[in-house]
Amino acid sequence: DAKTTQPPSMDCAEGRAANLPCNHSTISGNEYVYWYRQIHSQGPQYIIHGLKNNETNEMASLIITEDRKSSTLILPHATLRDTAVYYCIVRVGGFKTIFGAGTRLFVKA
Amino acid sequence: DTGVSQDPRHKITKRGQNVTFRCDPISEHNRLYWYRQTLGQGPEFLTYFQNEAQLEKSRLLSDRFSAERPKGSFSTLEIQRTEQGDSAMYLCASSFPQGADEKLFFGSGTQLSVL
């Protein structure tokens, strides 16, 4: 699986958009970008994934650059409950999911 | 959908004792994973099953660790002769891959403390 690079931590004001970047410069054409988050003392939770196109669901939006070497997870209106560790993962279908260290997002009132 | 359930939530044991954890996946999910997580780190892959077959084991899974998934339903992870370095959160996840898509659904984990 391709390696991802994420900032170790970020802050965001409550009510503002949280934009979490992820670099995956060695991504292959058949690798998907997945995002999970982990709230303290819970298991990781799936957020969203995509291959080439931008994706949006009820939780977040995923913007993937045209060259697919980086992506951004957007939480449009961050709340205190969005404080968590966010993991960006690239994987090929059929293979196991490997987690990195993620980005610790602090949403502040 | 009752989610993935893990039992127990917490386990305290003395070094040298054996422990066993249980994971009940979402009922229609055919794939089941075990991960281990220490403080400040992301989850580390240990092993996974496709139905009852154990398809891959990490090098992290020493001979003291064994996992089973009889009949392709619940799974158990046993650690024999526990060591203090085994102290961690043990996470179970299940999935139902559809083509290249695979979303993992995690349980809340079992926190193991080895004294």
Side-chain angles (χ1 to χ4, degrees):
Chain A
D1 291 345
K3 186 172 181 176
T4 61
T5 304
Q6 298 179 254
S9 67
M10 294 182 62
D11 290 345
C12 177
E14 188 178 22
R16 305 297 294 268
N19 298 295
L20 292 95
C22 180
N23 286 321
H24 31 79
S25 58
T26 59
I27 193 169
S28 302
N30 60 347
E31 287 184 308
Y32 286 72
V33 179
Y34 281 74
W35 284 83
Y36 287 79
R37 74 178 183 184
Q38 187 172 23
I39 295 169
H40 183 61
S41 297
Q42 297 182 21
Q45 175 192 25
Y46 165 83
I47 301 173
I48 198 167
H49 76 284
L51 182 62
K52 296 180 182 178
N53 300 322
N54 298 336
E55 302 287 344
T56 295
N57 63 20
E58 65 279 4
M59 291 182 69
S61 295
L62 173 60
I63 308 298
I64 302 174
T65 58
E66 193 168 343
D67 63 8
R68 303 209 324 122
K69 292 185 177 182
S70 66
S71 60
T72 301
L73 179 75
I74 301 172
L75 308 178
H77 305 286
T79 71
L80 298 178
R81 288 177 295 178
D82 291 322
T83 291
V85 179
Y86 288 78
Y87 298 100
C88 170
I89 296 157
V90 293
R91 64 176 289 275
V92 176
F95 287 83
K96 61 185 179 287
T97 296
I98 302 296
F99 289 81
T103 294
R104 191 170 296 274
L105 175 68
F106 297 94
V107 180
K108 300 182 176 180
Chain B
D1 179 1
T2 58
V4 177
S5 107
Q6 292 189 246
D7 183 70
R9 285 296 311 274
H10 303 274
K11 179 71 177 178
I12 300 174
T13 191
K14 294 183 178 178
R15 190 175 51 188
Q17 298 294 305
N18 299 344
V19 295
T20 301
F21 311 141
R22 178 181 171 121
C23 172
D24 287 273
I26 293 171
S27 60
E28 65 269 22
H29 285 187
N30 56 3
R31 198 171 275 189
L32 187 148
Y33 293 80
W34 285 99
Y35 288 83
R36 180 174 67 187
Q37 186 173 28
T38 54
L39 200 60
Q41 305 297 315
E44 296 174 294
F45 169 80
L46 292 179
T47 187
Y48 86 97
F49 294 83
Q50 177 87 13
N51 299 310
E52 67 275 9
Q54 189 172 17
L55 295 189
E56 187 173 347
K57 290 167 50 173
S58 163
R59 288 173 294 175
L60 294 173
L61 216 64
S62 75
D63 291 345
R64 297 184 298 105
F65 288 71
S66 63
E68 294 182 343
R69 192 182 183 199
K71 302 179 183 177
S73 55
F74 72 91
S75 176
T76 57
L77 178 67
E78 180 183 17
I79 309 174
Q80 296 182 327
R81 305 181 303 281
T82 53
E83 301 172 356
Q84 288 185 325
D86 297 331
S87 295
M89 173 75 82
Y90 289 83
L91 291 161
C92 174
S94 70
S95 70
F96 185 73
Q98 295 178 298
D101 284 1
E102 183 178 15
K103 304 171 191 174
L104 299 186
F105 293 81
F106 282 83
S108 295
T110 294
Q111 181 67 52
L112 173 67
S113 297
V114 181
L115 305 179

